[in-house]
Amino acid sequence: SFMTEQDTKRKWQEDDEARRIFEDAKQKAGDHQPLFAYAVSPSAAETIVDIAATLGASRVIVGAPQRNLLLNLIRGSVIREVSDSLPEDIDLLVYA
């Protein structure tokens, strides 16, 4: 697959899956509302680490809506790269 310049400018409100995930997380978070960050990037791990560090996040939660998608992420390098690159003061939580 490939990305276009239009993809990088897309907003989360235009992404049905992102909108469902954000709404579900918001409901489950209760009084501790998370700060959502959305980006379309050729390097997911690099972008996750960059946004977390820039925002001063204390925790990064990585997950997938279906367990088999999460297993694909784990088998791939995304979670490993995030884990290796994330500053030690930012916790990484993998959610299935």
Side-chain angles (χ1 to χ4, degrees):
S1 72
F2 62 91
M3 286 179 43
T4 67
E5 187 177 331
Q6 212 172 14
D7 291 325
T8 62
K9 294 179 180 176
R10 189 170 55 220
K11 305 291 183 222
W12 70 268
Q13 293 92 337
E14 301 165 359
D15 183 327
D16 290 339
E17 185 176 10
R19 197 168 53 246
R20 280 194 305 273
I21 291 168
F22 287 177
E23 287 170 1
D24 186 46
K26 197 173 188 180
Q27 286 180 345
K28 290 179 179 176
D31 293 337
H32 303 286
Q33 288 301 306
L35 173 62
F36 296 111
Y38 176 86
V40 177
S41 165
S43 174
E46 185 178 314
T47 302
I48 290 167
V49 171
D50 184 48
I51 290 173
T54 300
L55 294 176
S58 58
R59 179 176 302 134
V60 172
I61 302 171
V62 179
Q66 298 171 359
R67 192 170 295 266
N68 61 338
L69 293 176
L70 181 64
L71 291 175
N72 289 339
L73 281 175
I74 292 171
R75 280 190 205 114
S77 60
V78 174
I79 290 177
R80 191 174 331 108
E81 285 180 43
V82 169
S83 179
D84 290 346
S85 304
L86 210 57
E88 287 184 15
D89 60 335
I90 301 178
D91 295 332
L92 175 62
L93 175 63
V94 180
Y95 171 76

